[in-house]
Structure formats: structure tokens, C-alpha cells
Amino acid sequence: MSAVAVRALFRSHPEKPPNAEAMSRCIDSCFNCVETCTGCADACLAERDIDHLVACIRLNLDCAAVCSATGNIMSRANKAGHRQLLEALLANCIAFCRACASECARHADRHRHCQVCADACTACAEACNDMLNALRMPA
């Protein structure tokens, strides 16, 4: 689902969720990160010498799983009473994205797909951090 579709959904939602813009960007970034991390893991597996990429592949797959869960949960607009759980979820996603971005950046000079993945992970961490800050601000 694209950010445009998510924004349209939130505008038409009967409860008009607060922070819809930050939430849309977070969701879009999470699903973009899922696709990019999955693609990077696959590209790493296609490299000739993958021994030095094992940690990268594992982090790609773990990050994709965490981002998928985060995007799915954030897509459900009614968050009443779950702020602490959402904050923990977002903090976890940020940590995985930062770790994956760091690992991919180590290989970016030799593998272009790792640079693309590092950029997507960094963008996702930023979007999740913005959402986390929006949750912490009084509505």
C-alpha cells in the first residue's frame, strides 16, 4: 500500500486518527524497508563469496520481519490505550533499522544493493522516530 493510499484511508476513517501524516510516512517506510531488505538479502545470496555477508543477510531478514510487523500494526488506526506498546514497537523497529543500515553500509562500497538497503533502513528509522515523537506529543 502506498503512502497516498494510506493517507486517503486515514482521511476517510470514521475516527480520524491523529498524526495521520506521520503514521502514513511510517507505514510506507516500513513496507519499503521490507521490500528493500528482502531484495538485499536475495542479492547478497547471489554474490560469489557470501561468507562475509552472512551477518548482513540475517539482519536484512530480521529487519524485514520487524518492519512488516510494525507496518501492519501501525496500519490499524485505532490505537487507544496502546501507546506504550506502540512506543516499544517503534523503538524496536528503529533499533533493527539502524543496525541493518550500519551493517549494509559496511558492504556498500562493494555491493550497490547494500547501499540501497542502508538508505531505506535509515529512512525507515527516521520515519519511525518521527512517529514515536508524534505519539509522545500531547494531541
Side-chain angles (χ1 to χ4, degrees):
M1 184 180 298
S2 74
V4 173
V6 173
R7 284 183 192 94
L9 247 161
F10 288 153
R11 278 194 302 274
S12 66
H13 196 285
E15 294 179 353
K16 305 290 185 228
N19 308 310
E21 184 63 32
M23 198 179 311
S24 296
R25 195 169 142 252
C26 176
I27 293 164
D28 190 48
S29 292
C30 282
F31 290 128
N32 181 58
C33 201
V34 170
E35 293 170 359
T36 306
C37 286
T38 302
C40 187
D42 185 64
C44 286
L45 288 168
E47 295 290 346
R48 287 185 187 189
D49 180 21
I50 66 168
D51 290 346
H52 69 284
L53 295 170
V54 171
C56 189
I57 295 165
R58 286 187 176 134
L59 267 171
N60 284 158
L61 297 175
D62 290 346
C63 189
V66 170
C67 287
S68 179
T70 302
N72 282 319
I73 291 168
M74 292 307 300
S75 294
R76 293 188 287 278
N78 187 350
K79 309 289 187 248
H82 293 64
R83 195 177 93 193
Q84 287 181 320
L85 293 173
L86 291 174
E87 288 178 0
L89 175 70
L90 289 165
N92 192 42
C93 191
I94 292 165
F96 269 92
C97 286
R98 286 180 178 161
C100 192
S102 177
E103 180 63 27
C104 281
R106 291 185 41 219
H107 308 286
D109 60 329
R110 293 180 60 205
H111 307 289
R112 174 76 179 122
H113 53 85
C114 286
Q115 183 61 58
V116 172
C117 190
D119 293 344
C121 289
T122 299
C124 188
E126 289 171 2
C128 287
N129 193 57
D130 290 347
M131 185 65 226
L132 185 59
N133 288 333
L135 281 174
R136 291 177 174 163
M137 297 295 288

